[in-house]
Amino acid sequence: MAKRKNKPKSANQLANNPKARHDYNISDTFEAGIALTGTEIKSVRAGKINLKDGFARVRGGEVWLENVHISPYKEGNQFNHDPLRNRKLLLHKREIAKLAGIAQDKGITIVPLKVYLKHGFAKVLIGIGQGKKNYDKRETLKRKEQDREMARAMKQRY
């Protein structure tokens, strides 16, 4: 029997939201399942998902993912899904209670960071974010630029 090759960690990643880390200071992350319909999971596996303007909201003891666009499945028929419908996130009760308590604070947002497959199920990594000011964003960009220049200089040196 042939050995199974280890896939890189990013091989199962379907969508990423780099704007979230630019706009928010992410303090804590949670892994949640997504309740999807049949054509939605097919579109997600094809990578037809956009997290750009998405956020999560706690309502009635449940967490809902809102404003996330999943394109209609190409081979779907009249039973295709609405691209912008709200989707339920599957979390434990204590995680939902923790999110509900934290999200009540002013300036705190629950944002999706990435979507990936884990054991055949679609998972979303959500983060608790506090909005950055414009000067914080500029400072972060400057720090990244300096780190890149240092790495480049060290590479040339050695």
Side-chain angles (χ1 to χ4, degrees):
M1 187 167 169
K3 281 191 174 182
R4 189 180 236 169
K5 291 183 181 177
N6 290 333
K7 290 183 182 178
K9 198 82 162 160
S10 62
N12 293 335
Q13 185 172 328
L14 303 171
N16 193 11
N17 190 2
K19 190 93 170 137
R21 295 207 187 263
H22 178 72
D23 291 341
Y24 300 98
N25 287 323
I26 305 297
S27 60
D28 200 7
T29 59
F30 294 90
E31 180 183 74
I34 315 171
L36 299 172
T37 64
T39 57
E40 281 178 329
I41 189 63
K42 290 179 180 186
S43 290
V44 167
R45 285 186 177 159
K48 306 292 185 188
I49 182 169
N50 186 359
L51 301 174
K52 186 177 179 182
D53 297 325
F55 62 95
R57 183 178 288 165
V58 181
R59 282 188 308 212
E62 297 177 338
V63 181
W64 293 87
L65 189 62
E66 300 181 8
N67 240 10
V68 171
H69 187 275
I70 298 177
S71 298
Y73 186 55
K74 189 174 136 187
E75 270 96 49
N77 53 14
Q78 75 235 24
F79 302 112
N80 239 337
H81 61 276
D82 177 30
L84 282 174
R85 79 175 185 90
N86 298 338
R87 292 159 184 94
K88 186 177 177 181
L89 293 181
L90 308 172
L91 291 160
H92 293 285
K93 282 187 180 182
R94 65 182 176 282
E95 291 175 334
I96 294 172
K98 185 176 180 181
L99 280 173
I102 293 171
Q104 288 176 350
D105 295 340
K106 187 170 180 155
I108 301 294
T109 307
I110 305 169
V111 291
L113 301 174
K114 64 181 175 178
V115 174
Y116 52 93
L117 289 177
K118 185 174 182 181
H119 304 296
F121 294 104
K123 304 284 185 179
V124 62
L125 184 69
I126 56 175
I128 298 169
Q130 185 169 13
K132 286 184 182 177
K133 304 284 186 200
N134 279 336
Y135 57 84
D136 289 335
K137 294 178 190 178
R138 286 193 294 266
E139 185 178 320
T140 305
L141 288 174
K142 283 181 189 176
R143 198 174 313 120
K144 274 186 177 179
E145 179 85 21
Q146 290 171 350
D147 290 345
R148 262 191 240 119
E149 287 177 12
M150 275 196 338
R152 203 174 299 130
M154 294 299 285
K155 186 177 180 184
Q156 289 175 354
R157 186 180 256 184
Y158 296 106

